[in-house]
Amino acid sequence: MRTSRYSDSQILAILKQNESGVSVPELCREHGMSSA
């Protein structure tokens, strides 16, 4: 099984940013991930 590039706390922080109104494409650019 492949290990995750992001820790659990990083994933939660990204999800909280999305809940607060930051768009998904913006989050993807900010954290260097693909939108897929």
PDB file of all heavy atoms in Angstrom:
ATOM      1  N   MET A   1       0.839  -1.186   0.000  1.00  0.00           N
ATOM      2  CA  MET A   1       0.000   0.000   0.000  1.00  0.00           C
ATOM      3  C   MET A   1       0.883   1.248   0.000  1.00  0.00           C
ATOM      4  O   MET A   1       1.859   1.333   0.719  1.00  0.00           O
ATOM      5  CB  MET A   1      -0.886  -0.028   1.241  1.00  0.00           C
ATOM      6  CG  MET A   1      -1.886   1.067   1.278  1.00  0.00           C
ATOM      7  SD  MET A   1      -3.016   0.757   2.660  1.00  0.00           S
ATOM      8  CE  MET A   1      -3.661   2.353   2.859  1.00  0.00           C
ATOM      9  N   ARG A   2       0.514   2.200  -0.822  1.00  0.00           N
ATOM     10  CA  ARG A   2       1.305   3.413  -0.960  1.00  0.00           C
ATOM     11  C   ARG A   2       1.073   4.347   0.231  1.00  0.00           C
ATOM     12  O   ARG A   2      -0.057   4.515   0.682  1.00  0.00           O
ATOM     13  CB  ARG A   2       0.880   4.096  -2.246  1.00  0.00           C
ATOM     14  CG  ARG A   2       1.727   5.265  -2.593  1.00  0.00           C
ATOM     15  CD  ARG A   2       1.347   5.787  -3.958  1.00  0.00           C
ATOM     16  NE  ARG A   2       1.919   7.108  -4.091  1.00  0.00           N
ATOM     17  CZ  ARG A   2       1.383   8.091  -4.749  1.00  0.00           C
ATOM     18  NH1 ARG A   2       0.242   7.900  -5.362  1.00  0.00           N
ATOM     19  NH2 ARG A   2       1.960   9.258  -4.812  1.00  0.00           N
ATOM     20  N   THR A   3       2.137   4.959   0.699  1.00  0.00           N
ATOM     21  CA  THR A   3       1.987   5.897   1.809  1.00  0.00           C
ATOM     22  C   THR A   3       1.504   7.240   1.282  1.00  0.00           C
ATOM     23  O   THR A   3       1.783   7.624   0.151  1.00  0.00           O
ATOM     24  CB  THR A   3       3.325   6.102   2.552  1.00  0.00           C
ATOM     25  OG1 THR A   3       4.293   6.578   1.637  1.00  0.00           O
ATOM     26  CG2 THR A   3       3.805   4.801   3.168  1.00  0.00           C
ATOM     27  N   SER A   4       0.785   7.956   2.120  1.00  0.00           N
ATOM     28  CA  SER A   4       0.233   9.245   1.727  1.00  0.00           C
ATOM     29  C   SER A   4       1.313  10.318   1.714  1.00  0.00           C
ATOM     30  O   SER A   4       2.235  10.290   2.525  1.00  0.00           O
ATOM     31  CB  SER A   4      -0.869   9.654   2.694  1.00  0.00           C
ATOM     32  OG  SER A   4      -1.378  10.908   2.365  1.00  0.00           O
ATOM     33  N   ARG A   5       1.198  11.245   0.811  1.00  0.00           N
ATOM     34  CA  ARG A   5       2.132  12.357   0.722  1.00  0.00           C
ATOM     35  C   ARG A   5       1.859  13.378   1.825  1.00  0.00           C
ATOM     36  O   ARG A   5       2.725  14.127   2.227  1.00  0.00           O
ATOM     37  CB  ARG A   5       1.964  13.014  -0.643  1.00  0.00           C
ATOM     38  CG  ARG A   5       2.869  14.171  -0.893  1.00  0.00           C
ATOM     39  CD  ARG A   5       2.674  14.694  -2.283  1.00  0.00           C
ATOM     40  NE  ARG A   5       2.970  13.654  -3.259  1.00  0.00           N
ATOM     41  CZ  ARG A   5       3.235  13.875  -4.529  1.00  0.00           C
ATOM     42  NH1 ARG A   5       3.204  15.090  -4.996  1.00  0.00           N
ATOM     43  NH2 ARG A   5       3.498  12.901  -5.352  1.00  0.00           N
ATOM     44  N   TYR A   6       0.620  13.395   2.323  1.00  0.00           N
ATOM     45  CA  TYR A   6       0.199  14.361   3.329  1.00  0.00           C
ATOM     46  C   TYR A   6      -0.158  13.652   4.631  1.00  0.00           C
ATOM     47  O   TYR A   6      -0.745  12.578   4.617  1.00  0.00           O
ATOM     48  CB  TYR A   6      -1.027  15.135   2.825  1.00  0.00           C
ATOM     49  CG  TYR A   6      -0.752  15.874   1.537  1.00  0.00           C
ATOM     50  CD1 TYR A   6      -1.106  15.344   0.308  1.00  0.00           C
ATOM     51  CD2 TYR A   6      -0.100  17.092   1.548  1.00  0.00           C
ATOM     52  CE1 TYR A   6      -0.830  16.009  -0.871  1.00  0.00           C
ATOM     53  CE2 TYR A   6       0.182  17.774   0.378  1.00  0.00           C
ATOM     54  CZ  TYR A   6      -0.182  17.225  -0.826  1.00  0.00           C
ATOM     55  OH  TYR A   6       0.100  17.888  -1.980  1.00  0.00           O
ATOM     56  N   SER A   7       0.178  14.277   5.756  1.00  0.00           N
ATOM     57  CA  SER A   7      -0.170  13.707   7.051  1.00  0.00           C
ATOM     58  C   SER A   7      -1.658  13.934   7.325  1.00  0.00           C
ATOM     59  O   SER A   7      -2.308  14.741   6.659  1.00  0.00           O
ATOM     60  CB  SER A   7       0.660  14.357   8.157  1.00  0.00           C
ATOM     61  OG  SER A   7       0.260  15.702   8.324  1.00  0.00           O
ATOM     62  N   ASP A   8      -2.177  13.231   8.311  1.00  0.00           N
ATOM     63  CA  ASP A   8      -3.589  13.387   8.651  1.00  0.00           C
ATOM     64  C   ASP A   8      -3.909  14.822   9.045  1.00  0.00           C
ATOM     65  O   ASP A   8      -4.943  15.363   8.657  1.00  0.00           O
ATOM     66  CB  ASP A   8      -3.963  12.439   9.796  1.00  0.00           C
ATOM     67  CG  ASP A   8      -3.973  10.986   9.356  1.00  0.00           C
ATOM     68  OD1 ASP A   8      -4.024  10.721   8.145  1.00  0.00           O
ATOM     69  OD2 ASP A   8      -3.946  10.114  10.247  1.00  0.00           O
ATOM     70  N   SER A   9      -3.017  15.458   9.794  1.00  0.00           N
ATOM     71  CA  SER A   9      -3.280  16.829  10.223  1.00  0.00           C
ATOM     72  C   SER A   9      -3.281  17.791   9.032  1.00  0.00           C
ATOM     73  O   SER A   9      -4.059  18.749   8.998  1.00  0.00           O
ATOM     74  CB  SER A   9      -2.265  17.274  11.268  1.00  0.00           C
ATOM     75  OG  SER A   9      -0.961  17.218  10.751  1.00  0.00           O
ATOM     76  N   GLN A  10      -2.422  17.546   8.031  1.00  0.00           N
ATOM     77  CA  GLN A  10      -2.414  18.390   6.838  1.00  0.00           C
ATOM     78  C   GLN A  10      -3.716  18.225   6.053  1.00  0.00           C
ATOM     79  O   GLN A  10      -4.269  19.203   5.559  1.00  0.00           O
ATOM     80  CB  GLN A  10      -1.235  18.042   5.942  1.00  0.00           C
ATOM     81  CG  GLN A  10       0.102  18.510   6.474  1.00  0.00           C
ATOM     82  CD  GLN A  10       1.241  18.020   5.601  1.00  0.00           C
ATOM     83  OE1 GLN A  10       1.289  16.844   5.249  1.00  0.00           O
ATOM     84  NE2 GLN A  10       2.148  18.920   5.265  1.00  0.00           N
ATOM     85  N   ILE A  11      -4.199  16.999   5.939  1.00  0.00           N
ATOM     86  CA  ILE A  11      -5.445  16.746   5.212  1.00  0.00           C
ATOM     87  C   ILE A  11      -6.602  17.450   5.905  1.00  0.00           C
ATOM     88  O   ILE A  11      -7.433  18.091   5.263  1.00  0.00           O
ATOM     89  CB  ILE A  11      -5.701  15.229   5.098  1.00  0.00           C
ATOM     90  CG1 ILE A  11      -4.646  14.596   4.193  1.00  0.00           C
ATOM     91  CG2 ILE A  11      -7.100  14.954   4.563  1.00  0.00           C
ATOM     92  CD1 ILE A  11      -4.635  13.091   4.206  1.00  0.00           C
ATOM     93  N   LEU A  12      -6.653  17.357   7.243  1.00  0.00           N
ATOM     94  CA  LEU A  12      -7.722  18.027   7.980  1.00  0.00           C
ATOM     95  C   LEU A  12      -7.661  19.540   7.809  1.00  0.00           C
ATOM     96  O   LEU A  12      -8.694  20.195   7.662  1.00  0.00           O
ATOM     97  CB  LEU A  12      -7.640  17.660   9.468  1.00  0.00           C
ATOM     98  CG  LEU A  12      -8.061  16.235   9.810  1.00  0.00           C
ATOM     99  CD1 LEU A  12      -7.782  15.928  11.271  1.00  0.00           C
ATOM    100  CD2 LEU A  12      -9.525  16.020   9.487  1.00  0.00           C
ATOM    101  N   ALA A  13      -6.456  20.101   7.809  1.00  0.00           N
ATOM    102  CA  ALA A  13      -6.307  21.545   7.625  1.00  0.00           C
ATOM    103  C   ALA A  13      -6.801  21.972   6.240  1.00  0.00           C
ATOM    104  O   ALA A  13      -7.478  22.997   6.104  1.00  0.00           O
ATOM    105  CB  ALA A  13      -4.854  21.959   7.823  1.00  0.00           C
ATOM    106  N   ILE A  14      -6.493  21.180   5.220  1.00  0.00           N
ATOM    107  CA  ILE A  14      -6.943  21.490   3.854  1.00  0.00           C
ATOM    108  C   ILE A  14      -8.466  21.412   3.772  1.00  0.00           C
ATOM    109  O   ILE A  14      -9.113  22.271   3.184  1.00  0.00           O
ATOM    110  CB  ILE A  14      -6.270  20.536   2.839  1.00  0.00           C
ATOM    111  CG1 ILE A  14      -4.772  20.828   2.775  1.00  0.00           C
ATOM    112  CG2 ILE A  14      -6.898  20.676   1.456  1.00  0.00           C
ATOM    113  CD1 ILE A  14      -3.963  19.785   2.025  1.00  0.00           C
ATOM    114  N   LEU A  15      -9.056  20.394   4.395  1.00  0.00           N
ATOM    115  CA  LEU A  15     -10.514  20.267   4.375  1.00  0.00           C
ATOM    116  C   LEU A  15     -11.185  21.417   5.117  1.00  0.00           C
ATOM    117  O   LEU A  15     -12.225  21.922   4.688  1.00  0.00           O
ATOM    118  CB  LEU A  15     -10.930  18.926   4.989  1.00  0.00           C
ATOM    119  CG  LEU A  15     -10.582  17.699   4.151  1.00  0.00           C
ATOM    120  CD1 LEU A  15     -10.918  16.431   4.917  1.00  0.00           C
ATOM    121  CD2 LEU A  15     -11.305  17.722   2.823  1.00  0.00           C
ATOM    122  N   LYS A  16     -10.598  21.854   6.219  1.00  0.00           N
ATOM    123  CA  LYS A  16     -11.158  22.990   6.955  1.00  0.00           C
ATOM    124  C   LYS A  16     -11.080  24.267   6.125  1.00  0.00           C
ATOM    125  O   LYS A  16     -11.989  25.097   6.171  1.00  0.00           O
ATOM    126  CB  LYS A  16     -10.437  23.179   8.292  1.00  0.00           C
ATOM    127  CG  LYS A  16     -10.853  22.137   9.300  1.00  0.00           C
ATOM    128  CD  LYS A  16     -10.184  22.353  10.628  1.00  0.00           C
ATOM    129  CE  LYS A  16     -10.420  21.134  11.487  1.00  0.00           C
ATOM    130  NZ  LYS A  16     -10.847  21.440  12.810  1.00  0.00           N
ATOM    131  N   GLN A  17      -9.996  24.430   5.370  1.00  0.00           N
ATOM    132  CA  GLN A  17      -9.890  25.595   4.479  1.00  0.00           C
ATOM    133  C   GLN A  17     -11.013  25.564   3.455  1.00  0.00           C
ATOM    134  O   GLN A  17     -11.613  26.589   3.150  1.00  0.00           O
ATOM    135  CB  GLN A  17      -8.549  25.604   3.761  1.00  0.00           C
ATOM    136  CG  GLN A  17      -7.403  26.106   4.580  1.00  0.00           C
ATOM    137  CD  GLN A  17      -6.130  26.139   3.747  1.00  0.00           C
ATOM    138  OE1 GLN A  17      -5.773  25.164   3.088  1.00  0.00           O
ATOM    139  NE2 GLN A  17      -5.453  27.274   3.772  1.00  0.00           N
ATOM    140  N   ASN A  18     -11.306  24.375   2.923  1.00  0.00           N
ATOM    141  CA  ASN A  18     -12.368  24.249   1.933  1.00  0.00           C
ATOM    142  C   ASN A  18     -13.723  24.571   2.556  1.00  0.00           C
ATOM    143  O   ASN A  18     -14.537  25.250   1.944  1.00  0.00           O
ATOM    144  CB  ASN A  18     -12.364  22.842   1.335  1.00  0.00           C
ATOM    145  CG  ASN A  18     -13.440  22.666   0.291  1.00  0.00           C
ATOM    146  OD1 ASN A  18     -14.423  21.983   0.534  1.00  0.00           O
ATOM    147  ND2 ASN A  18     -13.247  23.282  -0.854  1.00  0.00           N
ATOM    148  N   GLU A  19     -13.956  24.120   3.782  1.00  0.00           N
ATOM    149  CA  GLU A  19     -15.225  24.409   4.452  1.00  0.00           C
ATOM    150  C   GLU A  19     -15.389  25.902   4.719  1.00  0.00           C
ATOM    151  O   GLU A  19     -16.506  26.406   4.760  1.00  0.00           O
ATOM    152  CB  GLU A  19     -15.315  23.634   5.767  1.00  0.00           C
ATOM    153  CG  GLU A  19     -15.541  22.153   5.570  1.00  0.00           C
ATOM    154  CD  GLU A  19     -15.530  21.388   6.878  1.00  0.00           C
ATOM    155  OE1 GLU A  19     -15.236  21.984   7.931  1.00  0.00           O
ATOM    156  OE2 GLU A  19     -15.803  20.175   6.825  1.00  0.00           O
ATOM    157  N   SER A  20     -14.274  26.609   4.894  1.00  0.00           N
ATOM    158  CA  SER A  20     -14.357  28.039   5.180  1.00  0.00           C
ATOM    159  C   SER A  20     -14.538  28.875   3.916  1.00  0.00           C
ATOM    160  O   SER A  20     -14.606  30.092   4.002  1.00  0.00           O
ATOM    161  CB  SER A  20     -13.123  28.502   5.959  1.00  0.00           C
ATOM    162  OG  SER A  20     -11.979  28.441   5.147  1.00  0.00           O
ATOM    163  N   GLY A  21     -14.589  28.233   2.753  1.00  0.00           N
ATOM    164  CA  GLY A  21     -14.926  28.957   1.536  1.00  0.00           C
ATOM    165  C   GLY A  21     -13.841  29.031   0.477  1.00  0.00           C
ATOM    166  O   GLY A  21     -14.055  29.629  -0.567  1.00  0.00           O
ATOM    167  N   VAL A  22     -12.672  28.450   0.701  1.00  0.00           N
ATOM    168  CA  VAL A  22     -11.610  28.464  -0.304  1.00  0.00           C
ATOM    169  C   VAL A  22     -11.973  27.434  -1.380  1.00  0.00           C
ATOM    170  O   VAL A  22     -12.360  26.316  -1.074  1.00  0.00           O
ATOM    171  CB  VAL A  22     -10.244  28.127   0.328  1.00  0.00           C
ATOM    172  CG1 VAL A  22      -9.141  28.172  -0.717  1.00  0.00           C
ATOM    173  CG2 VAL A  22      -9.935  29.073   1.476  1.00  0.00           C
ATOM    174  N   SER A  23     -11.866  27.822  -2.645  1.00  0.00           N
ATOM    175  CA  SER A  23     -12.252  26.925  -3.732  1.00  0.00           C
ATOM    176  C   SER A  23     -11.245  25.779  -3.890  1.00  0.00           C
ATOM    177  O   SER A  23     -10.074  25.908  -3.533  1.00  0.00           O
ATOM    178  CB  SER A  23     -12.363  27.695  -5.044  1.00  0.00           C
ATOM    179  OG  SER A  23     -11.089  28.137  -5.446  1.00  0.00           O
ATOM    180  N   VAL A  24     -11.720  24.679  -4.428  1.00  0.00           N
ATOM    181  CA  VAL A  24     -10.871  23.497  -4.620  1.00  0.00           C
ATOM    182  C   VAL A  24      -9.691  23.775  -5.554  1.00  0.00           C
ATOM    183  O   VAL A  24      -8.557  23.419  -5.227  1.00  0.00           O
ATOM    184  CB  VAL A  24     -11.714  22.292  -5.107  1.00  0.00           C
ATOM    185  CG1 VAL A  24     -10.828  21.111  -5.473  1.00  0.00           C
ATOM    186  CG2 VAL A  24     -12.723  21.891  -4.041  1.00  0.00           C
ATOM    187  N   PRO A  25      -9.908  24.436  -6.706  1.00  0.00           N
ATOM    188  CA  PRO A  25      -8.746  24.729  -7.569  1.00  0.00           C
ATOM    189  C   PRO A  25      -7.682  25.578  -6.864  1.00  0.00           C
ATOM    190  O   PRO A  25      -6.483  25.364  -7.052  1.00  0.00           O
ATOM    191  CB  PRO A  25      -9.353  25.465  -8.759  1.00  0.00           C
ATOM    192  CG  PRO A  25     -10.773  24.999  -8.805  1.00  0.00           C
ATOM    193  CD  PRO A  25     -11.170  24.796  -7.373  1.00  0.00           C
ATOM    194  N   GLU A  26      -8.125  26.530  -6.044  1.00  0.00           N
ATOM    195  CA  GLU A  26      -7.184  27.365  -5.306  1.00  0.00           C
ATOM    196  C   GLU A  26      -6.394  26.528  -4.296  1.00  0.00           C
ATOM    197  O   GLU A  26      -5.181  26.677  -4.152  1.00  0.00           O
ATOM    198  CB  GLU A  26      -7.938  28.494  -4.592  1.00  0.00           C
ATOM    199  CG  GLU A  26      -7.069  29.390  -3.752  1.00  0.00           C
ATOM    200  CD  GLU A  26      -6.023  30.149  -4.557  1.00  0.00           C
ATOM    201  OE1 GLU A  26      -6.297  30.482  -5.722  1.00  0.00           O
ATOM    202  OE2 GLU A  26      -4.928  30.390  -4.036  1.00  0.00           O
ATOM    203  N   LEU A  27      -7.073  25.629  -3.594  1.00  0.00           N
ATOM    204  CA  LEU A  27      -6.388  24.754  -2.639  1.00  0.00           C
ATOM    205  C   LEU A  27      -5.377  23.858  -3.352  1.00  0.00           C
ATOM    206  O   LEU A  27      -4.280  23.632  -2.843  1.00  0.00           O
ATOM    207  CB  LEU A  27      -7.399  23.881  -1.890  1.00  0.00           C
ATOM    208  CG  LEU A  27      -8.208  24.578  -0.805  1.00  0.00           C
ATOM    209  CD1 LEU A  27      -9.292  23.640  -0.279  1.00  0.00           C
ATOM    210  CD2 LEU A  27      -7.329  25.046   0.326  1.00  0.00           C
ATOM    211  N   CYS A  28      -5.748  23.361  -4.518  1.00  0.00           N
ATOM    212  CA  CYS A  28      -4.846  22.488  -5.270  1.00  0.00           C
ATOM    213  C   CYS A  28      -3.580  23.234  -5.675  1.00  0.00           C
ATOM    214  O   CYS A  28      -2.478  22.697  -5.552  1.00  0.00           O
ATOM    215  CB  CYS A  28      -5.552  21.930  -6.500  1.00  0.00           C
ATOM    216  SG  CYS A  28      -6.863  20.761  -6.103  1.00  0.00           S
ATOM    217  N   ARG A  29      -3.735  24.461  -6.143  1.00  0.00           N
ATOM    218  CA  ARG A  29      -2.555  25.265  -6.509  1.00  0.00           C
ATOM    219  C   ARG A  29      -1.704  25.549  -5.281  1.00  0.00           C
ATOM    220  O   ARG A  29      -0.478  25.465  -5.330  1.00  0.00           O
ATOM    221  CB  ARG A  29      -2.993  26.577  -7.151  1.00  0.00           C
ATOM    222  CG  ARG A  29      -3.323  26.469  -8.606  1.00  0.00           C
ATOM    223  CD  ARG A  29      -3.448  27.839  -9.238  1.00  0.00           C
ATOM    224  NE  ARG A  29      -4.523  28.623  -8.632  1.00  0.00           N
ATOM    225  CZ  ARG A  29      -5.798  28.593  -9.013  1.00  0.00           C
ATOM    226  NH1 ARG A  29      -6.148  27.820 -10.005  1.00  0.00           N
ATOM    227  NH2 ARG A  29      -6.697  29.337  -8.425  1.00  0.00           N
ATOM    228  N   GLU A  30      -2.337  25.897  -4.186  1.00  0.00           N
ATOM    229  CA  GLU A  30      -1.614  26.288  -2.972  1.00  0.00           C
ATOM    230  C   GLU A  30      -0.793  25.132  -2.394  1.00  0.00           C
ATOM    231  O   GLU A  30       0.314  25.319  -1.911  1.00  0.00           O
ATOM    232  CB  GLU A  30      -2.630  26.764  -1.920  1.00  0.00           C
ATOM    233  CG  GLU A  30      -2.026  27.256  -0.642  1.00  0.00           C
ATOM    234  CD  GLU A  30      -3.089  27.750   0.321  1.00  0.00           C
ATOM    235  OE1 GLU A  30      -4.146  28.252  -0.122  1.00  0.00           O
ATOM    236  OE2 GLU A  30      -2.842  27.628   1.531  1.00  0.00           O
ATOM    237  N   HIS A  31      -1.348  23.910  -2.475  1.00  0.00           N
ATOM    238  CA  HIS A  31      -0.681  22.765  -1.860  1.00  0.00           C
ATOM    239  C   HIS A  31       0.036  21.864  -2.861  1.00  0.00           C
ATOM    240  O   HIS A  31       0.580  20.831  -2.486  1.00  0.00           O
ATOM    241  CB  HIS A  31      -1.712  21.956  -1.052  1.00  0.00           C
ATOM    242  CG  HIS A  31      -2.267  22.736   0.105  1.00  0.00           C
ATOM    243  ND1 HIS A  31      -1.576  22.924   1.269  1.00  0.00           N
ATOM    244  CD2 HIS A  31      -3.443  23.389   0.249  1.00  0.00           C
ATOM    245  CE1 HIS A  31      -2.301  23.651   2.095  1.00  0.00           C
ATOM    246  NE2 HIS A  31      -3.442  23.956   1.494  1.00  0.00           N
ATOM    247  N   GLY A  32       0.025  22.231  -4.125  1.00  0.00           N
ATOM    248  CA  GLY A  32       0.787  21.501  -5.127  1.00  0.00           C
ATOM    249  C   GLY A  32       0.248  20.131  -5.464  1.00  0.00           C
ATOM    250  O   GLY A  32       1.011  19.187  -5.641  1.00  0.00           O
ATOM    251  N   MET A  33      -1.070  20.008  -5.565  1.00  0.00           N
ATOM    252  CA  MET A  33      -1.677  18.723  -5.921  1.00  0.00           C
ATOM    253  C   MET A  33      -2.575  18.890  -7.140  1.00  0.00           C
ATOM    254  O   MET A  33      -2.960  20.008  -7.463  1.00  0.00           O
ATOM    255  CB  MET A  33      -2.468  18.155  -4.743  1.00  0.00           C
ATOM    256  CG  MET A  33      -3.649  18.972  -4.331  1.00  0.00           C
ATOM    257  SD  MET A  33      -4.554  18.284  -2.969  1.00  0.00           S
ATOM    258  CE  MET A  33      -3.763  19.102  -1.615  1.00  0.00           C
ATOM    259  N   SER A  34      -2.887  17.785  -7.776  1.00  0.00           N
ATOM    260  CA  SER A  34      -3.782  17.852  -8.935  1.00  0.00           C
ATOM    261  C   SER A  34      -5.223  17.903  -8.450  1.00  0.00           C
ATOM    262  O   SER A  34      -5.543  17.438  -7.360  1.00  0.00           O
ATOM    263  CB  SER A  34      -3.587  16.645  -9.842  1.00  0.00           C
ATOM    264  OG  SER A  34      -4.115  15.490  -9.222  1.00  0.00           O
ATOM    265  N   SER A  35      -6.089  18.456  -9.265  1.00  0.00           N
ATOM    266  CA  SER A  35      -7.497  18.543  -8.872  1.00  0.00           C
ATOM    267  C   SER A  35      -8.219  17.192  -8.993  1.00  0.00           C
ATOM    268  O   SER A  35      -9.336  17.059  -8.533  1.00  0.00           O
ATOM    269  CB  SER A  35      -8.210  19.592  -9.712  1.00  0.00           C
ATOM    270  OG  SER A  35      -8.111  19.265 -11.076  1.00  0.00           O
ATOM    271  N   ALA A  36      -7.574  16.221  -9.613  1.00  0.00           N
ATOM    272  CA  ALA A  36      -8.175  14.896  -9.729  1.00  0.00           C
ATOM    273  C   ALA A  36      -8.254  14.249  -8.366  1.00  0.00           C
ATOM    274  O   ALA A  36      -9.150  13.503  -8.066  1.00  0.00           O
ATOM    275  CB  ALA A  36      -7.358  14.025 -10.662  1.00  0.00           C
TER     276      ALA A  36
END
